[in-house]
């Protein structure tokens, strides 16, 4: 039986989204994955076995470091080496593009495979779901188009990379879910979200270290949400964010993934200010 790895195409998006959901990524949609295809088609791949798609992978370079968002395989459990081939293919692409370290979101069952490729565990990515009573706050309002550059600057300070394309797409596709926290004429935080199959995945959610009311952004966002559950993913090293979500009644999923690193063991962004990651694909 033949197998190959090829570049993803638009006709593959529905398959990739379904494949992601089957591996527990309930927040992924074809529209979300299309963002990465439009940004860098060469960093999105489909794994084929006997000419049928059986998995996919998305990698995103941010210059000196890159994110490997998913290696989702379906139907080839008898060929575990294919997962390693897909991993090596993605890592090679990122390294050849200049990445000195690669960050990956890894399911528990795949940890050993990533470790054999040189990855080490950094932290867990916890997933919370729940509803929040929507409430307006005088210092929280909708993001204005002309303020996107300020948001990118704030995000870059904490994330350590330029996510202009993805933040801009979030805003274009769901402006009602994009809020900023402004104090003394300065934007000190922001939150974004999107709809996905009956839920509202939240993120990125970034707050300055000088602000003591991060929940205000989430409550303001909840005003725009109907009956859908909010889904928030956060690294477990941000203890304040984890405690806040639990205090607000969010329920933690029993299953979590690992954030793993290949390369120099340095921090990836300033975790204490990132209350929700954007997604495993974009960081």
């Amino acid at each position: 039986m033949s197998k190959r790895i090829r570049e993803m195409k638009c006709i593959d998006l529905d398959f990739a989204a379904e494949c992601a959901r089957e591996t527990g990524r309930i927040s992924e949609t074809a529209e979300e994955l299309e963002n990465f295809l439009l940004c860098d088609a060469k960093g999105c791949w489909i794994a084929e076995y006997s000419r049928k798609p059986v998995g996919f992978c998305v990698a995103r370079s941010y210059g000196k470091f890159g994110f490997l968002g998913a290696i989702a395989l379906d139907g080839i459990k008898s060929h575990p080496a294919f997962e390693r081939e897909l991993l090596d293919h993605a890592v090679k692409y990122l390294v050849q593009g200049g990445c000195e370290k690669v960050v990956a979101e890894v399911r528990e069952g795949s940890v050993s495979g990533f470790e054999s490729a040189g990855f080490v565990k950094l932290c867990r990515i916890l997933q919370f779901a729940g509803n929040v009573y929507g409430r307006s706050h005088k210092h929280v309002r909708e993001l204005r188009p002309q303020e996107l550059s300020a948001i990118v600057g704030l995000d870059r300070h904490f994330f350590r990379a330029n996510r202009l394309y993805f933040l801009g797409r979030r805003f274009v596709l769901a402006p009602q879910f994009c809020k900023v926290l402004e104090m003394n004429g300065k934007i000190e935080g922001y939150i974004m979200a999107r709809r996905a199959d009956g839920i509202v995945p939240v993120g990125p959610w970034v707050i300055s270290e000088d602000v003591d009311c991060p929940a205000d952004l989430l409550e303001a966002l909840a005003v725009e949400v109907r009956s859908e559950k909010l889904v928030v993913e956060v690294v477990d090293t941000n203890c304040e964010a984890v405690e806040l979500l639990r205090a607000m009644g969010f329920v933690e999923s029993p299953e979590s993934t690992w954030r793993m690193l290949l390369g120099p063991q340095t921090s990836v962004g300033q975790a204490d200010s990132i209350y929700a990651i954007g997604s495993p694909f974009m960081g």
Side-chain angles (χ1 to χ4, degrees), residues 10 17 28 37 67-68 88 101-102 118 145 150 165 178 211 237 268:
C10 289
E28 303 312 326
L37 190 60
F67 270 84
L68 206 168
D88 290 343
K101 55 186 176 181
V102 178
Y165 174 81
C178 298
V211 176
T237 51
V268 181

Side-chain angles (χ1 to χ4, degrees), residues 24 36 54 68 91 99 121 142 206 225-226 232 260 263 271 274 276:
F36 300 91
V54 294
L68 206 168
V91 169
C99 292
K121 294 176 179 176
E142 289 187 358
V206 176
V225 177
R226 298 192 284 264
V232 184
M260 301 186 73
I274 301 174

Side-chain angles (χ1 to χ4, degrees), residues 1-58:
M1 296 292 183
S2 61
K3 56 183 178 180
R4 69 164 179 157
I5 298 170
R6 62 168 174 80
E7 289 183 16
M8 187 184 295
K9 302 175 183 178
C10 289
I11 59 173
D12 299 312
L13 290 170
D14 287 336
F15 162 78
E18 181 60 28
C19 192
R21 286 192 290 270
E22 288 181 0
T23 59
R25 300 296 319 160
I26 61 173
S27 61
E28 303 312 326
T29 63
E31 181 182 64
E32 175 72 1
L33 294 172
E34 184 182 26
N35 293 335
F36 300 91
L37 190 60
L38 293 175
C39 180
D40 180 16
K42 293 185 179 299
C44 305
W45 304 281
I46 290 290
E48 287 187 339
Y49 186 70
S50 296
R51 298 185 178 181
K52 294 182 180 180
V54 294
F56 80 101
C57 180
V58 171

Side-chain angles (χ1 to χ4, degrees), residues 210-236:
D210 299 324
V211 176
D212 61 1
C213 53
D216 292 357
L217 278 166
L218 191 61
E219 290 177 345
L221 169 66
V223 173
E224 309 292 343
V225 177
R226 298 192 284 264
S227 58
E228 304 104 317
K229 280 192 174 183
L230 300 173
V231 175
V232 184
E233 290 185 297
V234 61
V235 293
D236 66 354

Side-chain angles (χ1 to χ4, degrees), residues 60-118:
R60 172 59 185 159
S61 172
Y62 289 109
K64 294 297 183 180
F65 74 94
F67 270 84
L68 206 168
I71 291 185
L73 297 174
D74 175 50
I76 56 170
K77 294 181 175 61
S78 59
H79 299 273
F82 207 175
E83 181 175 64
R84 179 58 185 269
E85 288 181 31
L86 194 52
L87 171 59
D88 290 343
H89 185 88
V91 169
K92 181 180 179 180
Y93 173 79
L94 291 171
V95 171
Q96 288 183 339
C99 292
E100 297 175 355
K101 55 186 176 181
V102 178
V103 182
E105 184 217 23
V106 184
R107 291 171 288 128
E108 190 68 50
S110 299
V111 167
S112 61
F114 276 73
E115 287 178 330
S116 69

Side-chain angles (χ1 to χ4, degrees), residues 147-212:
E147 294 170 330
L148 190 57
S149 60
I151 293 300
V152 172
L154 179 68
D155 184 78
R156 188 170 189 170
H157 177 71
F158 296 115
F159 184 70
R160 305 287 193 256
N162 188 342
R163 294 193 285 185
L164 171 61
Y165 174 81
F166 297 108
L167 300 182
R169 287 282 291 178
R170 281 276 197 275
F171 179 65
V172 168
L173 295 174
Q176 74 278 18
F177 289 157
C178 298
K179 307 289 183 180
V180 297
L181 188 151
E182 183 179 26
M183 290 186 170
N184 299 318
K186 182 181 178 182
I187 294 177
E188 297 284 5
Y190 79 93
I191 195 168
M192 292 182 169
R194 58 191 173 87
R195 281 198 165 93
D197 296 334
I199 61 174
V200 176
V202 177
W205 174 13
V206 176
I207 197 84
S208 171
E209 59 266 83
D210 299 324
V211 176
D212 61 1

